[in-house]
Amino acid sequence: MKVASLSELQEGVPVFFDYPQVGQGNILVKMGEPVIGGVGPDEDIVAFSRICTHMGCPISEYQHEYKALGPCVCHFTTFDLIHGGMVAMGQATQNLPQVILDIDGDAVMAGGLLRLVYGYDNAIEGGELVGGTL
Ligand code: FES
């Protein structure tokens, strides 16, 4: 599924998209330096679920200065997007699920998620649900 256009991305300007289903929010950012799982010519484009791994609140605040998602409005967890979405501070104990990205021409494509999204008991592969129920 196309989630962004490579030519339109700007460093530090987040793109928000739902994937794999409406209501499952994610954030995509061109970080400006190579990062874990980064795609694109500079290996700096990453995307993560923005559903907090603590108790499922949506996180909308991105701080490019710290390359961090958060703080979560519920209990203030902040996640480090340079280091695979790991918890930088706060109540959560698990990393954010990372969206598997690929580049197809000018399209940035999402093709799955690493780790389970809070509140869901299945993972997806190739954009399709695999096992379990919602
Ligand atoms: S739900 Fe995000 S820190 Fe608790």
Side-chain angles (χ1 to χ4, degrees):
M1 176 183 144
K2 180 181 176 183
V3 294
S5 295
L6 190 60
S7 59
E8 294 177 3
L9 293 178
Q10 298 175 42
E11 181 183 330
V13 179
V15 173
F16 296 100
F17 63 98
D18 284 1
Y19 176 81
Q21 300 179 46
V22 174
Q24 288 186 303
N26 303 277
I27 180 173
L28 180 147
V29 185
K30 180 174 175 54
M31 306 301 278
E33 62 183 277
V35 293
I36 296 170
V39 299
D42 301 319
E43 299 181 343
D44 66 341
I45 301 166
V46 287
F48 294 88
S49 169
R50 60 186 189 91
I51 299 175
C52 185
T53 60
H54 179 226
M55 294 182 74
C57 291
I59 309 173
S60 298
E61 184 171 348
Y62 172 68
Q63 304 179 70
H64 191 61
E65 176 183 3
Y66 304 110
K67 307 228 177 357
L69 183 66
C72 175
V73 295
C74 291
H75 314 100
F76 311 113
T77 296
T78 299
F79 297 90
D80 180 347
L81 302 191
I82 287 285
H83 297 103
M86 72 179 212
V87 176
M89 59 170 267
Q91 303 293 316
T93 58
Q94 297 183 11
N95 295 4
L96 287 173
Q98 187 162 1
V99 180
I100 300 168
L101 297 176
D102 198 5
I103 303 295
D104 183 7
D106 189 50
V108 182
M109 309 292 292
L113 282 161
L114 299 173
R115 296 183 290 277
L116 295 175
V117 174
Y118 182 91
Y120 292 82
D121 63 358
N122 58 34
I124 60 166
E125 196 174 277
E128 300 295 328
L129 292 173
V130 178
T133 56
L134 293 178

